[in-house]
Amino acid sequence: PPRSTLFPYTTLFRSVYCVGGTVTNCVITNNQAVGDEPKGGGVCCDGGAVSHCVISGNSVTSTNTYLYGASAEGGGIYAVNQSQIDHSTVVNNSLNGYYSNGGGINANGGSVQYCTVSGNTAYGHWYADGGGVYMTADLIRNCLITDNNAHTDRGAYSANWADGGGVYFNGGGTLESSTVYGNTLDGDMSTGGGLTYGGQIRNTIIYGNTATARMTADGPNYYLNSYGPATFDHCCSTPLPAGVGNIASAPGFISGGYHLNTGSPCIDTGTNQAWMATATDLDGNPRIANGT
């Protein structure tokens, strides 16, 4: 495509670029975006939708010799202007740059719903944010976000930062009715193996994530600070988050999966919302069961 305000620098596209419209029922795999500030290894979406797709094995690599501009964003999907991403599987995508944001998905506004985001990697020489999802101030709902990784080089004299192995919120947002598990971080400084920053976190399991570092590792499951405060309610995580209805007990998954086993402390402990009345979960079952 011609250069635009979305891609003002030299970039090689071997993927899908949509302005409006819908990409649906597609398998988008093993594509590359390479250039100064490349975005969207599988899909670049400007005000459109990605629905019922598989986005796998795509990569984004920055070759910018001006290192302060060498950013790589959205290994699987890069979306702006209220784009909608739903009912899709985003797996095994990757980023490589000095600044890497969103190994699986980088979404600036819009929403990510009914998606599985797994096995994605954000590698930044200096900074890596959001191994699974990098989200700017909007909605993640009904998603399974597992086994993603954000990592940086370990510098001899400087501190390279890795944040949000599962989810990185830039400027707040909402994460609800989701599971964030088994995501990892590594860098000189590592914050938030599962979640970094946030806004409203509701009806969500954030457990079993890890953060390792050469210098300081904070928040294996979640990391919050005064610039990105979060409100938790009816969540399962440890340490126990402040807020209403939260628990710190292990969620009790079935062996080899993320369904809740009989006797799980998470069963019937969520809070009902209006949107759930006709909604389903990732298996297509009613979002509300047994009244809760």
Side-chain angles (χ1 to χ4, degrees):
R3 294 184 186 182
S4 67
T5 55
L6 184 58
F7 302 104
Y9 304 101
T10 302
T11 302
L12 170 64
F13 294 91
R14 291 178 179 165
S15 55
V16 176
Y17 177 38
C18 62
V19 179
T22 300
V23 180
T24 185
N25 291 296
C26 293
V27 175
I28 301 169
T29 185
N30 296 329
N31 301 286
Q32 302 174 36
V34 182
D36 287 349
E37 296 182 10
K39 298 172 171 64
V43 180
C44 293
C45 192
D46 185 355
V50 179
S51 182
H52 294 88
C53 290
V54 175
I55 315 293
S56 69
N58 304 286
S59 65
V60 175
T61 303
S62 175
T63 58
N64 199 338
T65 57
Y66 176 62
L67 303 184
Y68 291 99
S71 63
E73 300 183 281
I77 302 172
Y78 179 82
V80 297
N81 293 332
Q82 299 302 309
S83 295
Q84 309 299 309
I85 303 166
D86 68 85
H87 297 88
S88 293
T89 299
V90 182
V91 296
N92 300 329
N93 303 284
S94 63
L95 295 176
N96 189 326
Y98 275 81
Y99 300 85
S100 292
N101 300 319
I105 299 171
N106 184 308
N108 188 345
S111 66
V112 178
Q113 301 189 63
Y114 296 93
C115 290
T116 296
V117 183
S118 183
N120 303 285
T121 300
Y123 165 51
H125 299 288
W126 290 342
Y127 292 91
D129 299 328
V133 181
Y134 181 100
M135 171 65 77
T136 301
D138 224 304
L139 175 66
I140 302 171
R141 175 186 287 167
N142 270 344
C143 288
L144 177 63
I145 302 171
T146 64
D147 301 310
N148 303 286
N149 172 264
H151 67 280
T152 69
D153 292 336
R154 290 191 171 190
Y157 305 104
S158 62
N160 300 328
W161 288 77
D163 302 302
V167 177
Y168 181 95
F169 270 120
N170 180 16
T174 299
L175 171 65
E176 60 186 11
S177 299
S178 296
T179 295
V180 181
Y181 192 93
N183 302 284
T184 59
L185 285 179
D186 187 81
D188 290 319
M189 307 285 286
S190 296
T191 56
L195 167 73
T196 295
Y197 305 153
Q200 179 64 56
I201 317 300
R202 178 186 299 116
N203 287 338
T204 289
I205 297 169
I206 307 176
Y207 223 93
N209 306 283
T210 60
T212 59
R214 178 177 70 91
M215 298 168 65
T216 302
D218 289 320
N221 284 309
Y222 61 88
Y223 176 80
L224 316 173
N225 70 9
S226 58
Y227 300 104
T231 301
F232 286 81
D233 71 89
H234 299 84
C235 290
C236 173
S237 192
T238 184
L240 179 67
V244 177
N246 298 314
I247 59 176
S249 302
F253 296 129
I254 64 170
S255 178
Y258 298 102
H259 295 83
L260 299 178
N261 210 341
T262 302
S264 164
C266 297
I267 294 174
D268 295 337
T269 58
T271 182
N272 294 357
Q273 298 174 267
W275 64 267
M276 296 176 177
T278 58
T280 61
D281 62 17
L282 281 177
D283 288 335
N285 298 315
R287 181 74 266 182
I288 297 176
N290 299 321
T292 306

